[in-house]
Amino acid sequence: MAAEDASFAFNAAGLDRALALLKARRGAAGAAHTLDVPERMPEAGLGESAALEALAVSVLDGAAPLGAPGTFAHMDPPTPWITWALALWNAALNQNLLHPETAPVAREVERRAVDWLAPFFGMRGGQMVAGSTLANLTALWAAREVSGVREVVASAAAHLSVRKAAALLGLRFREVPVDGRQRLQVEALGDVRRSALVLTAGTTASGAIDPLDVRAGAAWVHVDAAWAGPLRLSTRHAGLLDGIEQADSVAVSAHKWFFQPKESALVLFARWEEARAALSFGGGYLAVPNVGVAGSRGAAAVPLLATLLAWGRRGLAERVERCMALAEELAALVRAHPELELFAEPVCGVLAWRPRGGGDLRGLRARMRGAFVSLAQIDGSIWLRSVAANPLAQPQRVLEAVLAAR
Ligand SMILES: Cc1ncc(COP(=O)(O)O)c(C=O)c1O
């Protein structure tokens, strides 16, 4: 291949076309469910332009419309355009935070994003990871190394990643029952002196917040704030997470309520120097130690920092507050409807609801048109679940779609 290779050149026409396709097909999102490419890898390539056209329909139409008025389903938000631009820069620059010389500013960007956000949680430092599954694993790994914990204790409503992390780390997992609102029952904790106690701020199924000021003599307290963490930036709602500042570590997914493209999350520590030392591995080819679970990793902090710079604390808080208000609005509609029931009042934008008596909710969901909800199992019973990750959602529309599909 020639030293000049157009594939690596700046192709403004190709990028313009990609943008035009994105713009033209956004309305069709969710329409396609097939991947129209050959079963086997082609021997001769199509060229970039043809590859772009070949994938446009499948990829662009085949994605659920996360910012559509009827989307009130999972913890996946629409993303602001500034993140699309910065993700494009990221792909073009391909920085590797493992190597300071290839990514001097990207590493600084991550440090800045962590420095901006950690104080809201009472933490002193940390790093970005690809999701809260990895944030929980990283935090519990540090707990094992720093505090010598032997087991992980969490409520029955904790996310499966907590149990998974315990299994990976060779730690026993002990489940504590929840109360009627899905909060950890503190009186059932037992002896946690050699344990990492995991408290959840925003359980996956119903958005419950465990009592976050509990320490109970635990060797380490980790708060899984994957979902509800960003409420700390809202003066109106920050109090819901009071107590989080006493934790040893905190997980927050930026690709949930910080409106970031995947894969973006933070693991934060109260004693970061100590945790970092425990999570650091040096190696012959490394100029600085590899910290954490990942080796090579990209600059997810760049779109995050851009969003925080663009919106400021207030702009972020306004969007999260709007989502909270939408959950309240849907709850009010459900409450007012004689044939619908709520599992509980929404605490942090997650609502479990259904037609009275339940019925075939899977079938109902499959019949729904023009709106999305998810399903959750709570205490062995299935509920419709609406997560307020979409500030553009219209609760009335979601309600009507459910009623029409009964
Ligand atoms: C409470 C909680 N913790 C952890 C996770 C895992 O986060 P991620 O999907 O970012 O790995 C989730 C995901 O929904 C969650 O709800």
Side-chain angles (χ1 to χ4, degrees), residues 40-93:
R40 290 176 184 280
M41 186 170 88
E43 178 59 25
L46 307 177
E48 283 83 357
S49 296
L52 194 66
E53 302 296 332
L55 286 172
V57 172
S58 302
V59 172
L60 295 173
D61 295 11
L66 298 180
T71 301
F72 212 137
H74 293 279
M75 290 178 167
D76 303 294
T79 49
W81 71 263
I82 184 81
T83 66
W84 314 347
L86 276 293
L88 176 69
W89 290 2
N90 264 353
L93 300 170

Side-chain angles (χ1 to χ4, degrees), residues 108-266:
E108 195 54 40
V109 168
E110 176 167 313
R111 207 163 306 136
R112 196 65 55 90
V114 168
D115 285 350
W116 283 2
L117 292 173
F120 288 98
F121 304 92
M123 299 290 114
R124 302 293 295 277
Q127 67 173 178
M128 294 203 66
V129 290
S132 283
T133 296
L134 288 173
N136 287 339
L137 174 64
T138 309
L140 293 172
W141 177 21
R144 191 188 70 180
E145 301 304 313
V146 172
S147 295
V149 302
R150 299 268 179 85
E151 68 167 3
V152 174
V153 175
S155 91
H159 189 257
L160 63 94
S161 58
V162 176
R163 190 185 292 261
K164 193 195 288 184
L168 286 168
L169 294 165
L171 298 170
R172 201 160 73 89
F173 179 76
R174 185 157 59 82
E175 187 177 289
V176 179
V178 288
D179 65 14
R181 291 288 179 88
Q182 296 286 295
R183 293 170 303 204
L184 176 134
Q185 278 185 27
V186 178
E187 54 293 356
L189 264 182
D191 186 351
V192 288
R193 283 172 299 178
R194 307 294 304 273
S195 318
L197 170 60
V198 178
L199 303 169
T200 306
T203 57
T204 317
S206 69
I209 300 178
D210 286 336
L212 300 183
D213 52 358
V214 172
R215 279 204 74 97
W220 186 281
V221 175
H222 172 66
V223 177
D224 177 358
W227 167 251
L231 288 174
R232 286 302 273 182
L233 277 71
S234 154
T235 29
R236 188 179 311 164
H237 299 301
L240 286 169
L241 272 62
D242 276 354
I244 198 169
E245 69 287 351
Q246 296 166 33
D248 297 291
S249 54
V250 172
V252 187
S253 281
H255 57 212
K256 301 189 196 296
W257 243 351
F258 281 133
F259 305 97
Q260 292 304 293
K262 295 174 188 62
E263 294 139 351
S264 186
L266 296 124

